[in-house]
Amino acid sequence: MEYKSIAEIMSNDKIGSHVCIRGWIYRRSVVGGKAFIRVRDSSGVIQVVVDSARLGEALVDELKDIGLEASVIACGTVRREERAPGGYELDADFFKIIGYSRDFPIKGGEGIEYLLDNRHLWVRSPRFTKIFRIKHTILQAGREYFTRNGWWEVNPPILTASACEGGATLFPVEYFESKAYLSQSAQLYLEALIYVLEKVWSLTPSFRAERSRTRRHLAEYWHLEPEAAWYSMDDMMRVAEELVSHIVTKVLEERRSELVDLGRDIEKLKPAMETPYPRIRYDEAIEILQKKGVNVKWGDDLGADEERILTMEFEKPFFVTHFPRQIKSFYMKVDPSNPNVVLGFDLLAPEGYGEIIGGGEREDRYDVLYQKIIEQGLNPEDYKWYLDLRKYGSVPHSGFGLGVERVTMWITGLDHIRDTLPFPRFRGRIYP
């Protein structure tokens, strides 16, 4: 048999064709002597009609009680049927059950904790198929952007001896006779590689032992991170907006049907295709929030609630820049024109989704970086190799980190970040 994907056969030019498909039973009903079986594969869902007059009463009787997610093979003639899902159905002349499924535990109406406990089965939902196809295109578009623009993909380590974003959110790991940590970011290692390839990027998992239980926090997520020699903060902001614009454009070109099926308002994504994106300073952000009655003062970090309010002022992603130095990491370069702020930026997505990128210019002076490490209570010995980068041919450089799941959440219009991953990891969730 030559098998076709379901998406391939759901078109007018396939009407009357004899085809074979294979997949899993998504829904089923039996009316009279006919079984109407909705079969899904990775490309879509089609209704298969099994008529007892052609294939026998015994098969139709068996299909009355067949379990959801049983795997099957079906062959037959494609025909147009407006009442069927997708407008087409397969009139079967062959139908075979390959793998039985008894009492599939997800029937509809279950609570979120139950569904998360059964994530290995829940993930079969066609909804997740659409989300993961979109995420695939997001990753593909990111790689395409960097490749086209002369960046080099590299492979920094996941096990590290030092913190990038602070020790409070590190996951410790036994590493032979010493202690190591799961990486919070590839940034420090990417900085070492700019002296080799100048413009580098990586896609790696990052780990944060945060206690947060918000709709946009994960303990394990995928991090797309570029770093470039000779780049200023403004240079890197242009890279960030071009990258996001390219990702959105690619998704709208290739995954529009999936977005529509998920209920995403396409019109709200279109403004993100156009650059440049708006830019406001942290000072302006505080003024906007205060005018809206938010209890926030200069020097406070912007949390999810503050970011959500700010995003309502913009129809496309926008930058917030020049944050107070005390709320940013030790590696951020101080603004030469104002020692109270750093040359850092966040890119916030509209519609309340908030930060999707954080980055900025790195401190390239040895003595200043050494002092900032001490100021933040860190041990300079843990960063000896990182400090060495400032001793031997240091150059101005910048970079950022893009949270792949946060971008996916925004583009797909999801309510919670946990649905952007097959097996999400967050506080209280490690199974399955």
Side-chain angles (χ1 to χ4, degrees), residues 45-170:
V45 178
I46 193 170
Q47 180 167 281
V48 179
V49 180
V50 180
D51 192 335
S52 60
R54 174 180 289 182
L55 294 176
E57 293 182 4
L59 176 59
V60 173
D61 285 343
E62 185 176 21
L63 292 175
K64 288 180 182 178
D65 299 314
I66 191 71
L68 298 181
E69 290 300 310
S71 55
V72 299
I73 291 174
C75 299
T77 303
V78 180
R79 64 187 183 192
R80 186 74 177 162
E81 175 52 74
E82 298 295 338
R83 294 169 297 179
Y88 300 90
E89 67 181 13
L90 191 66
D91 188 12
D93 54 34
F94 176 85
F95 193 93
K96 183 178 181 181
I97 300 166
I98 302 300
Y100 285 83
S101 173
R102 304 297 184 191
D103 195 24
F104 190 69
I106 300 174
K107 299 175 175 62
E110 292 85 1
I112 186 63
E113 291 303 318
Y114 178 87
L115 290 172
L116 286 170
D117 284 341
N118 289 277
R119 185 72 164 202
H120 54 296
L121 300 176
W122 183 29
V123 79
R124 298 184 185 189
S125 163
R127 176 173 175 269
F128 285 114
T129 302
K130 296 176 178 67
I131 293 170
F132 298 153
R133 286 164 68 98
I134 292 169
K135 187 176 181 182
H136 163 85
T137 300
I138 289 170
L139 293 170
Q140 185 183 50
R143 177 168 275 110
E144 183 179 81
Y145 171 83
F146 286 117
T147 301
R148 285 181 179 179
N149 288 280
W151 294 72
W152 299 93
E153 184 174 5
V154 294
N155 307 110
I158 303 303
L159 290 170
T160 177
S162 55
C164 179
E165 298 295 338
T169 61
L170 285 170

Side-chain angles (χ1 to χ4, degrees), residues 19 68 105 112 116 121 131 145 157 175 195 201 206 232 239 254 257 274-275 288 305 328 347 376 383 385 398 421 432:
V19 300
L68 298 181
I112 186 63
L116 286 170
L121 300 176
I131 293 170
Y145 171 83
Y175 189 72
Y195 298 89
W201 72 279
S206 285
S232 67
V239 172
E254 298 186 1
S257 63
E274 300 294 329
T275 61
I288 292 171
D305 292 338
K328 288 297 181 181
L347 181 64
Q376 295 202 12
Y383 296 91
W385 71 268
S398 301
L421 282 165

Side-chain angles (χ1 to χ4, degrees), residues 250-403:
K250 193 81 170 179
V251 171
L252 289 179
E253 287 175 354
E254 298 186 1
R255 297 286 169 253
R256 182 179 292 261
S257 63
E258 286 91 341
L259 290 171
V260 171
D261 288 346
L262 290 171
R264 186 61 164 116
D265 187 340
I266 302 293
E267 294 303 314
K268 290 185 177 180
L269 288 173
K270 287 182 177 180
M273 297 168 66
E274 300 294 329
T275 61
Y277 293 162
R279 290 151 163 75
I280 63 171
R281 288 178 172 246
Y282 171 88
D283 298 3
E284 298 172 75
I286 294 298
E287 289 179 11
I288 292 171
L289 292 168
Q290 289 176 341
K291 286 179 180 178
K292 291 183 174 294
V294 179
N295 183 20
V296 63
K297 64 182 183 302
W298 198 96
D300 290 345
D301 203 356
L302 302 180
D305 292 338
E306 290 79 17
E307 288 183 359
R308 179 182 56 79
I309 294 169
L310 285 174
T311 66
M312 300 308 171
E313 302 291 306
F314 300 89
E315 292 184 348
K316 61 168 66 175
F318 64 97
F319 291 100
V320 180
T321 67
H322 298 86
F323 289 86
R325 63 182 293 176
Q326 67 266 27
I327 64 172
K328 288 297 181 181
S329 297
F330 67 91
Y331 51 74
M332 286 281 191
K333 190 168 187 176
V334 173
D335 185 350
S337 65
N338 182 355
N340 295 315
V341 301
V342 294
L343 298 175
F345 65 85
D346 286 349
L347 181 64
L348 277 60
E351 304 174 77
Y353 284 96
E355 182 192 347
I356 55 175
I357 285 177
E361 201 162 333
R362 315 310 189 189
E363 180 52 66
D364 54 273
R365 296 165 295 179
Y366 179 92
D367 55 341
V368 177
L369 181 61
Y370 185 92
Q371 187 59 39
K372 289 179 74 175
I373 289 174
I374 292 175
E375 285 176 3
Q376 295 202 12
L378 302 172
N379 184 358
E381 282 300 310
D382 292 338
Y383 296 91
K384 183 180 181 301
W385 71 268
Y386 184 64
L387 286 161
D388 277 351
L389 303 178
R390 275 68 177 172
K391 291 170 66 177
Y392 306 106
S394 185
V395 296
H397 59 286
S398 301
F400 65 75
L402 176 150

Side-chain angles (χ1 to χ4, degrees), residues 152-156 189-190 193 197 199-204 225:
W152 299 93
E153 184 174 5
V154 294
N155 307 110
Y189 295 97
L190 293 176
L193 292 172
L197 296 166
K199 298 197 305 184
V200 298
W201 72 279
S202 68
L203 176 64
T204 63
E225 298 178 89

